Amino acid sequence: MLPPGITLRGRPETSHLCADADILPEKPLREMTAADIDEVLAVNLRGSILSVRACLPAMERAGHGRIILTSSATGPTTGYTGWSRYGASKAGQPGFPRGAALELTPLRITVNAVLPGNVRTEGLDALGEDYLRRMAAPIPLGRLGETPDIAHAVGSLASDEAAFITGQTLTVDGGQTVPESPDALALAPASVSG
């Protein structure tokens, strides 16, 4: 039986899950209520865990499985003003695969997380070109990520070739979290786009 509010799309007998739902309501810490915090944690963290739990019977019947959580670089690695509850929820996601991997490896189920950096989406596009330039500026590869960049990382972890990878996090951010400071990025050779 599925937890309330959780539905499975696609095949009822699945051996793969990419838990990718999240919400990102911006609000300063001083203005947050307990309900505001609970809302983000319920969708971003609790929802991921419940999705995994809902898929386990089908994966057990299949005799194997691949679980990939889509977290974020914001929270586990970086922060952003007004996004502290989002960051807290996303920081929990890379922690979950570690314990879950230990529980599920005897069932041949791997559990990993992907941490995207700044990725171009319709929501970001709506904020305008100036905003997009500022978001891309700290990325050594010189551009925002695109949805296929993340999809390829997830696909790799979902593949048979990734059968020996579990309990890990993969940051996909064009090197955004690598520089120690803006000075380190400024001292690097000029960024290339594409």
Side-chain angles (χ1 to χ4, degrees):
M1 176 167 202
L2 296 175
I6 302 293
T7 57
L8 290 178
R9 289 189 236 164
R11 300 178 307 181
E13 297 302 317
T14 185
S15 60
H16 291 69
L17 168 68
C18 179
D20 187 40
D22 72 15
I23 57 173
L24 176 59
E26 187 175 329
K27 186 175 270 190
L29 183 59
R30 290 177 185 212
E31 297 174 17
M32 276 183 225
T33 65
D36 292 332
I37 296 164
D38 290 345
E39 174 191 34
V40 173
L41 291 175
V43 172
N44 296 2
L45 185 56
R46 186 172 183 262
S48 293
I49 295 169
L50 291 175
S51 295
V52 169
R53 192 182 77 183
C55 289
L56 288 180
M59 291 181 182
E60 288 181 77
R61 285 190 295 277
H64 70 282
R66 299 280 184 274
I67 298 168
I68 301 98
L69 303 178
T70 303
S71 182
S72 175
T74 303
T77 311
T78 66
Y80 198 86
T81 301
W83 294 3
S84 59
R85 62 190 166 149
Y86 173 83
S89 71
K90 291 301 186 172
Q93 286 180 325
F96 174 73
R98 292 182 189 103
L102 292 173
E103 288 184 45
L104 300 177
T105 53
L107 303 171
R108 296 183 50 230
I109 298 171
T110 63
V111 188
N112 295 290
V114 172
L115 283 65
N118 292 340
V119 177
R120 189 171 189 152
T121 63
E122 289 177 13
L124 279 185
D125 285 345
L127 298 173
E129 286 300 317
D130 186 52
Y131 184 83
L132 295 174
R133 274 192 298 282
R134 287 195 321 269
M135 292 297 281
I139 301 173
L141 284 179
R143 67 173 178 88
L144 293 171
E146 300 286 343
T147 304
D149 296 322
I150 308 310
H152 292 307
V154 170
S156 176
L157 289 171
S159 72
D160 289 341
E161 289 76 16
F164 200 62
I165 302 170
T166 194
Q168 303 302 309
T169 58
L170 174 62
T171 302
V172 183
D173 69 354
Q176 178 181 351
T177 57
V178 173
E180 183 175 299
S181 69
D183 289 341
L185 186 58
L187 294 171
S191 295
V192 289
S193 184

